[in-house]
Amino acid sequence: AQSVTQLDSHVSVSEGTPVLLRCNYSSSYSPSLFWYVQHPNKGLQLLLKYTSAATLVKGINGFEAEFKKSETSFHLTKPSAHMSDAAEYFCVVSESYNQGGKLIFGQGTELSVKP
Amino acid sequence: DAMVIQNPRYQVTQFGKPVTLSCSQTLNHNVMYWYQQKSSQAPKLLFHYYDKDFNNEADTPDNFQSRRPNTSFCFLDIRSPGLGDAAMYLCATSRGRAANEKLFFGSGTQLSVL
């Protein structure tokens, strides 16, 4: 069975400093991995996805993530945080089965950005 | 332009009083999903439709039902809401059900049960 673990429930950074949100996954075969962002009282928006192509994936708003199979990790990074990046971030693995795809969500990491 | 639209944004109901949440999409996607997200928790899939084919998750309570009268609309019916059903309900769509499909989410309906 597939699962995903987000190692930090809350991360706080200063504006202009790098962001690192950590995610480890467990999968019995090649996974599809995603990062979604949820701003307060909003739906989820896809930041980026990995689907067995390039291991370094670039997403929207300057975010990127690197798939490391040896470490079973898919950490999300951004070189310089902006106040508007404050949100909840979910690492997601997709489970494909006979009846269709199913998303397995991590517990989320709340990102705070200080001025 | 909103692509997945959920109405209402906030819904208040009484304990045991049936309530219906609505979702519409302009993407013409085949798949529509309903997720439940309780406070400070990850979204949890309740069920999904692939076209007219309904797929219920094994642990979704019978209290939750869904209807999809056409491609554009999908409804979530809670027959007898309990206090534990207070949550954000998220509708999402995708073109297909492949593992790498991107989901498009609506802004959600925040349900309160009094």
Side-chain angles (χ1 to χ4, degrees), chain A residues 49-106:
Chain A
K49 68 177 182 179
Y50 166 78
T51 56
S52 73
T55 56
L56 182 62
V57 182
K58 293 188 183 299
I60 61 171
N61 301 334
F63 285 94
E64 60 183 38
E66 186 171 8
F67 173 72
K68 292 186 176 181
K69 186 174 181 178
S70 60
E71 298 176 9
T72 61
S73 69
F74 190 57
H75 302 333
L76 181 70
T77 61
K78 183 174 180 177
S80 176
H82 191 271
M83 295 297 291
S84 61
D85 294 329
E88 188 86 16
Y89 291 79
F90 292 97
C91 182
V92 182
V93 63
S94 181
E95 180 180 279
S96 183
Y97 57 105
N98 288 339
Q99 292 182 323
K102 177 178 177 180
L103 299 184
I104 309 297
F105 282 81

Side-chain angles (χ1 to χ4, degrees), chain B:
Chain B
D1 294 334
M3 295 179 289
V4 182
I5 303 161
Q6 291 188 245
N7 286 305
R9 183 70 181 86
Y10 299 94
Q11 176 74 56
V12 180
T13 190
Q14 292 180 330
F15 183 93
K17 184 176 181 180
V19 65
T20 295
L21 308 183
S22 300
C23 177
S24 64
Q25 54 133 340
T26 60
L27 298 163
N28 203 34
H29 280 173
N30 291 315
V31 193
M32 296 188 77
Y33 308 80
W34 280 104
Y35 283 84
Q36 179 193 61
Q37 186 180 23
K38 295 188 176 180
S39 181
S40 301
Q41 295 185 20
K44 177 181 178 298
L45 181 64
L46 294 173
F47 27 59
H48 77 275
Y49 272 95
Y50 180 72
D51 195 13
K52 297 180 181 179
D53 181 29
F54 178 70
N55 297 271
N56 199 31
E57 292 301 301
D59 57 354
T60 298
D62 292 340
N63 197 28
F64 292 86
Q65 304 286 324
S66 186
R67 295 171 284 135
R68 189 180 186 185
N70 53 53
T71 300
S72 300
F73 287 88
C74 194
F75 300 99
L76 170 63
D77 300 308
I78 308 176
R79 292 193 296 188
S80 180
L83 298 179
D85 297 327
M88 174 77 85
Y89 289 88
L90 297 167
C91 175
T93 73
S94 65
R95 188 175 47 190
R97 292 189 296 185
N100 61 356
E101 288 283 354
K102 172 183 177 180
L103 266 64
F104 293 79
F105 284 84
S107 295
T109 293
Q110 182 69 50
L111 177 68
S112 299
V113 181
L114 303 179

